[in-house]
Amino acid sequence: MMNTKILMLFCFLFTSQVTKTATTQPENLILGKWMSTQKNLIVNVYKEGNEFRAKVAWFSDKDNPAKPMASRTDWRNPDENLQQRKLLGMDILKDLQYNPDSKRWEDGQIYDPLSGREWSSVVYFDDQGHLKVKGYWHFEFISKTLTFNRLAK
């Protein structure tokens, strides 16, 4: 009887520790909702298999109040078949893989709906804990970086 209780306690503690470790692994630190420092975009970073991705969760539509966010489409996309897809909920970041040596998420692709172009991408944290998303063309020094802050749950 006593051995059964000890075994059950051990199983509970082991399961709790495995669950805690899975959610605090360094590669999972980017999961969740993030708002741009310009406060005009919110993305939801999620994991699908071993790949990290991000969807548009919200964006400011103050530039044209007559055309609300929910009605806007990807009309600048060079692929005519994609021009009618909604911007809201669209994946804009894909293929990111965590590199434990550099402590960055690398080899990703970021889509810019303002230009209809896709760029190579890396994601990392700066010293202040901001999430930096860099889109670049061939070389990282030819890039544009967006900065995000985590939204409270």
Side-chain angles (χ1 to χ4, degrees), residues 14-98:
F14 178 76
T15 304
S16 297
Q17 186 60 37
V18 168
T19 303
K20 182 179 175 185
T21 302
T23 59
T24 59
Q25 291 176 336
E27 69 255 20
N28 292 334
L29 291 175
I30 64 170
L31 298 177
K33 288 193 176 181
W34 297 85
M35 179 180 272
S36 67
T37 54
Q38 290 129 352
K39 299 189 185 308
N40 62 355
L41 174 65
I42 297 175
V43 296
N44 184 29
V45 179
Y46 66 100
K47 190 173 184 180
E48 191 170 279
N50 290 328
E51 172 188 347
F52 292 87
R53 303 173 71 96
K55 285 185 181 290
V56 175
W58 174 88
F59 60 90
S60 174
D61 55 8
K62 291 181 182 177
D63 61 322
N64 185 355
K67 195 162 189 184
M69 169 180 43
S71 68
R72 298 203 187 183
T73 60
D74 189 17
W75 64 275
R76 289 188 177 111
N77 196 306
D79 183 342
E80 288 183 19
N81 296 322
L82 299 177
Q83 290 178 354
Q84 295 305 311
R85 69 180 172 172
K86 301 282 185 189
L87 294 179
L88 192 61
M90 181 173 68
D91 275 324
I92 57 168
L93 189 58
K94 63 181 183 179
D95 298 333
L96 282 173
Q97 302 290 320
Y98 182 69

Side-chain angles (χ1 to χ4, degrees), residues 95-109:
D95 298 333
L96 282 173
Q97 302 290 320
Y98 182 69
N99 181 340
D101 296 329
S102 65
K103 297 181 181 164
R104 301 186 328 162
W105 294 261
E106 301 173 339
D107 300 324
Q109 296 292 312

